[in-house]
Amino acid sequence: MAKIIPFKAVRPTRAIVGLVAARPYQSYTVEERESRMDYNPYSFLHIVNPGYKYHQDIKGKERYKLVRNRYLEFKEDGVFVQDEKPSLYVYKIVNRLGQEFSGIIAASSAEDYEKNIIKKHEDTIATREKTFKSYLKTVGFNAEPVLLTYPDNETVSSIIKETQKKHAEFEFTMTYRDTHYLWKIDNEEIISQIQNEFKKMNTIYIADGHHRSASSYLLYQDEKKNNPNHNGEESYNFFMTYLIPESDLVIHEFNRLIKDLNGLTKEEFLIQLDSIYRIENRGNIPYIPSKSHHFCMYLDGEFYSLYLRKARYKMNTALDELDAELLYKTILQPILGINDLRHDNRIEYVNGRHEMITIKSSVDNGDFKIGFGMCPATIEQIKSIADEGLTMPPKSTYILPKLRSGITIYEF
């Protein structure tokens, strides 16, 4: 059974929440970050990039301590205020395409992660886990929730809809034209009702935030070991999450761009490819795959459709069925010689929100030799892979919604 608890969120004041909220630090270019910090003293980027005020690039533990200092300054200056009562938070995002995402911000159990009640579908890198654990231990807060998804639940959905009829605590629009809304639930009876529904769920899944989940779990292990009076209710036993129903998730694919043909001529490459795919030249007409195991390929100014010859590929697990794995096992690794999808600099990824024309232009301008497009994974595939204890290749899914930092903060 999944355990969630309310918490006393630290939040920006209503008047400036839109100025505080920021995308994840790594998603900005250096120029974008500096521009935002130059003209917006309230941006959460000032907290996570504390060296900006000293015109220095500060790293490691020294940076973590300064992040903590900047955060405390924001609290001292009244930019952040902590709620008086533990609450759950209904949160809605409406993006510029009109897609809506509604869910609940809560604190989820690190023990649930340990017991595989919270399941993952991606591998994490141990060094990144440990680095972020050290960061969390020093700064003492989560500023961006991990995105979790749960089976659609009528009771929870009804509570969310009723809550959204009330006046929102926040309503603001970002420069990307996403509008954000937040409502607070501090009624103990309603909170208990929501918690009871989650207790009925045997499994919930990480949609986005695998490294943050793993790092929070490592922190929980450390603090538990070092606390002789550990009782399981301390704040370090939990981490901040945004839980949304499976039907609200929007899953895009990541398409692949490759810089060369691994020493093969175009003709040699196509002959090798023919042994496992039916190939059709589509000329200059973009081909958009409409079903699993069909791919688009762009090479030498022409689009191709690729249909898997299923007799040549055995599918024994849920992972074998995944198009990103299929592409890797049949083309990228054996023909194009790409073994390490995470670190090989011959491959790059383009999320599926961009049209195939992006792949075409990247190849046409000479930066890449060949590009591949595919269908997005489904939530059923993601769950099946997680249920079998398997992990997807890097950059298999681009999942919406994408969350902002600094809107709710969980202290531990």
Side-chain angles (χ1 to χ4, degrees):
M1 58 185 202
K3 181 177 182 178
I4 64 169
I5 64 168
F7 65 101
K8 297 178 182 179
V10 176
R11 302 187 282 125
T13 59
R14 181 182 178 88
I16 58 172
V17 60
L19 295 172
V20 173
R23 302 201 316 270
Y25 178 81
Q26 300 88 345
S27 69
Y28 294 95
T29 65
V30 174
E31 293 76 16
E32 284 178 320
R33 281 199 302 266
E34 290 184 353
S35 173
R36 277 160 173 75
M37 289 187 286
D38 282 344
Y39 296 105
N40 179 5
Y42 299 111
S43 174
F44 194 78
L45 291 172
H46 285 284
I47 293 177
V48 292
N49 189 25
Y52 171 80
K53 103 185 252 188
Y54 302 113
H55 306 289
Q56 289 187 38
D57 185 17
I58 301 171
K59 297 182 178 178
K61 292 185 178 179
E62 186 179 5
R63 173 177 169 257
Y64 306 162
K65 291 176 183 176
L66 289 177
V67 168
R68 176 70 180 170
N69 291 346
R70 292 293 88 75
Y71 172 66
L72 293 176
E73 287 171 8
F74 268 48
K75 289 183 73 176
E76 290 162 4
D77 293 342
V79 176
F80 287 134
V81 179
Q82 188 164 29
D83 285 332
E84 294 181 1
K85 291 180 65 177
S87 304
L88 298 176
Y89 302 87
V90 170
Y91 191 54
K92 181 170 82 168
I93 303 171
V94 182
N95 68 19
R96 60 188 177 85
L97 300 177
Q99 295 168 319
E100 290 191 13
F101 309 93
S102 290
I104 294 173
I105 295 175
S108 290
S109 167
E111 190 176 11
D112 282 356
Y113 182 89
E114 182 176 56
K115 292 179 177 178
N116 211 30
I117 293 169
I118 296 175
K119 288 188 176 181
K120 63 179 184 177
H121 64 265
E122 287 183 7
D123 269 333
T124 51
I125 301 170
T127 53
R128 282 185 63 188
E129 290 178 19
K130 291 175 182 176
T131 297
F132 197 58
K133 180 202 73 173
S134 177
Y135 171 83
L136 291 175
K137 196 162 192 170
T138 303
V139 304
F141 61 79
N142 296 144
E144 180 188 334
V146 170
L147 182 63
L148 301 182
T149 188
Y150 60 89
D152 286 39
N153 181 287
E154 219 172 286
T155 301
V156 176
S157 178
S158 177
I159 292 171
I160 288 174
K161 287 176 182 175
E162 282 301 310
T163 302
Q164 290 178 343
K165 292 177 182 178
K166 301 173 185 176
H167 183 65
E169 297 274 326
F170 292 156
E171 179 181 345
F172 63 94
T173 301
M174 305 293 292
T175 52
Y176 276 68
R177 291 182 287 167
D178 292 352
T179 303
H180 299 248
Y181 306 82
L182 182 138
W183 295 263
K184 182 168 64 173
I185 299 177
D186 57 12
N187 181 293
E188 292 181 7
E189 186 177 332
I190 296 175
I191 289 172
S192 180
Q193 197 177 355
I194 294 170
Q195 288 177 306
N196 287 336
E197 291 303 314
F198 277 92
K199 284 178 184 176
K200 298 174 187 176
M201 300 178 192
N202 295 322
T203 308
I204 54 180
Y205 297 84
I206 300 172
D208 195 15
H210 284 78
H211 281 92
R212 282 174 284 134
S213 303
S215 302
S216 294
Y217 171 64
L218 290 180
L219 178 67
Y220 150 78
Q221 285 185 307
D222 275 6
E223 297 297 315
K224 177 183 177 181
K225 183 174 65 176
N226 296 326
N227 182 2
N229 301 312
H230 172 83
N231 61 29
E233 296 303 320
E234 297 89 351
S235 57
Y236 61 73
N237 290 278
F238 303 91
F239 57 103
M240 186 168 64
T241 58
Y242 178 43
L243 300 115
I244 72 170
E246 292 171 2
S247 61
D248 265 23
L249 279 185
V250 173
I251 305 170
H252 292 284
E253 72 281 10
F254 268 102
N255 296 318
R256 275 68 170 139
L257 286 162
I258 316 297
K259 291 188 177 179
D260 59 65
L261 294 181
N262 196 29
L264 301 171
T265 65
K266 173 183 172 182
E267 290 72 23
E268 290 169 337
F269 170 74
L270 290 173
I271 288 170
Q272 288 198 34
L273 196 60
D274 188 79
S275 67
I276 198 162
Y277 287 95
R278 290 174 51 205
I279 306 169
E280 184 176 341
N281 189 323
R282 304 274 178 157
N284 61 2
I285 301 172
Y287 168 69
I288 309 298
S290 60
K291 57 191 293 187
S292 293
H293 313 150
H294 290 189
F295 298 91
C296 168
M297 181 175 75
Y298 185 72
L299 171 66
D300 199 22
E302 295 177 309
F303 287 96
Y304 296 80
S305 60
L306 308 180
Y307 299 160
L308 178 70
R309 300 182 191 275
K310 294 189 178 181
R312 300 296 305 276
Y313 182 80
K314 291 184 179 179
M315 298 184 188
N316 300 314
T317 68
L319 182 60
D320 294 332
E321 296 271 353
L322 186 73
D323 279 355
E325 176 77 357
L326 179 59
L327 186 70
Y328 172 64
K329 287 290 183 68
T330 59
I331 301 177
L332 301 186
Q333 185 185 48
I335 301 178
L336 295 179
I338 294 173
N339 296 304
D340 187 344
L341 291 171
R342 199 180 295 276
H343 299 111
D344 195 319
N345 61 14
R346 295 170 55 223
I347 184 170
E348 286 194 16
Y349 304 90
V350 180
N351 77 65
R353 295 181 78 183
H354 300 283
E355 297 179 355
M356 290 302 298
I357 198 69
T358 303
I359 289 181
K360 180 181 186 302
S361 60
S362 297
V363 172
D364 287 347
N365 66 22
D367 292 337
F368 297 91
K369 181 66 177 177
I370 190 170
F372 297 94
M374 67 189 86
C375 289
T378 65
I379 185 60
E380 288 76 19
Q381 285 181 305
I382 292 172
K383 289 167 61 177
S384 295
I385 288 167
D387 290 343
E388 291 182 21
L390 303 171
T391 53
M392 300 165 78
K395 300 293 187 184
S396 291
T397 56
Y398 180 87
I399 295 178
L400 298 177
K402 294 297 180 188
L403 305 175
R404 297 294 186 264
S405 298
I407 297 173
T408 55
I409 294 174
Y410 175 71
E411 293 185 339
F412 39 80

